[in-house]
């Protein structure tokens, strides 16, 4: 029996990160977490590109451009959709998540998802702090694991 399990060794991996400007104080904190997670995995800063887009609705098209560019091994998406701030919550959050899932399947490239969908700013802050539970950090480490496990499966 063969068992494939992704490891967190990101040496030599190139990572694209898409960040949305909307609620940027939260997204900056998610980006700090993602960089922390990637550094923990051995991904150096010069192997990371960061693209900023206006809002979560624009994340998928930038993620697809990165995924099809041939320049990256994996992508991490970071954003914050806060229900209290918009009646369009469902129209922004749903398409963003669905499109990112679809792009993964279309391109075969792992795309980590830390686009927060929360009720209020307090919940967003709780998921983007300096300690444990930063969703950007979790998504970044998960992306490294997915790159590795997919390599093992495809080998
Ligand atoms: N974009 C977000 O990333 N988060 C939000 O909470 C949000 N709200 O509240 O509306 C939001 N809207 C902007 C949207 O993502 C697009 O940028 C905009 O509709 C232009 O296409």
């Amino acid at each position: 029996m063969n068992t494939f399990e992704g490891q967190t060794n990101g040496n030599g991996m190139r990572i694209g990160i898409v960040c949305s400007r909307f609620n940027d104080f939260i997204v900056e904190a998610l980006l700090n977490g993602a960089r922390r997670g990637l550094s923990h995995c051995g991904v150096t800063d010069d192997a990371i590109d960061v693209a900023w887009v206006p809002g979560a609705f624009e994340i998928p098209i930038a993620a697809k451009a990165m995924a099809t560019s041939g320049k990256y091994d994996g992508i991490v998406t970071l954003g914050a959709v806060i229900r209290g701030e918009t009646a369009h919550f469902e129209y922004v959050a749903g398409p963003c998540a669905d499109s990112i899932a679809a792009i993964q399947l279309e391109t075969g490239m792992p795309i980590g998802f830390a686009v927060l969908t929360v009720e209020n700013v307090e919940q967003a802050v709780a998921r983007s702090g300096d300690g444990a539970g930063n969703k950007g950090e979790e998504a970044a480490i998960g992306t490294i694991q997915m790159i590795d496990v997919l390599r093992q499966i495809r080998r």
Side-chain angles (χ1 to χ4, degrees):
M1 186 181 81
N2 294 311
T3 302
F4 304 129
E5 193 176 3
Q7 304 300 312
T8 55
N9 182 356
N11 282 335
M13 291 182 185
R14 298 156 308 158
I15 303 297
I17 301 179
V18 183
C19 294
S20 52
R21 284 267 173 228
F22 212 100
N23 299 313
D24 62 351
F25 67 107
I26 297 292
V27 181
E28 291 278 7
L30 292 170
L31 178 58
N32 287 340
R35 290 181 62 186
R36 212 162 48 233
L38 292 173
S39 168
H40 169 80
C41 294
V43 180
T44 52
D45 254 1
D46 62 354
I48 301 170
D49 288 341
V50 180
W52 285 90
V53 299
F57 196 72
E58 286 75 33
I59 291 175
I61 192 167
K64 185 166 187 177
M66 280 186 151
T68 55
S69 70
K71 298 199 299 193
Y72 307 102
D73 299 296
I75 311 295
V76 182
T77 56
L78 308 175
V81 190
I82 302 178
R83 186 189 293 272
E85 292 183 7
T86 178
H88 293 294
F89 179 92
E90 277 81 11
Y91 297 107
V92 173
C96 177
D98 292 347
S99 300
I100 289 170
I103 294 162
Q104 283 201 105
L105 299 180
E106 277 166 29
T107 63
M109 176 160 296
I111 304 180
F113 184 73
V115 180
L116 303 181
T117 51
V118 293
E119 297 296 322
N120 51 50
V121 171
E122 291 70 29
Q123 290 182 354
V125 168
R127 290 159 177 73
S128 58
D130 288 339
N134 182 304
K135 298 301 170 190
E137 181 171 12
E138 292 176 8
I141 294 171
T143 300
I144 300 302
Q145 291 172 325
M146 282 306 301
I147 294 167
D148 188 52
V149 78
L150 289 172
R151 283 180 179 171
Q152 292 177 45
I153 293 167
R154 289 167 179 153
R155 199 173 287 145

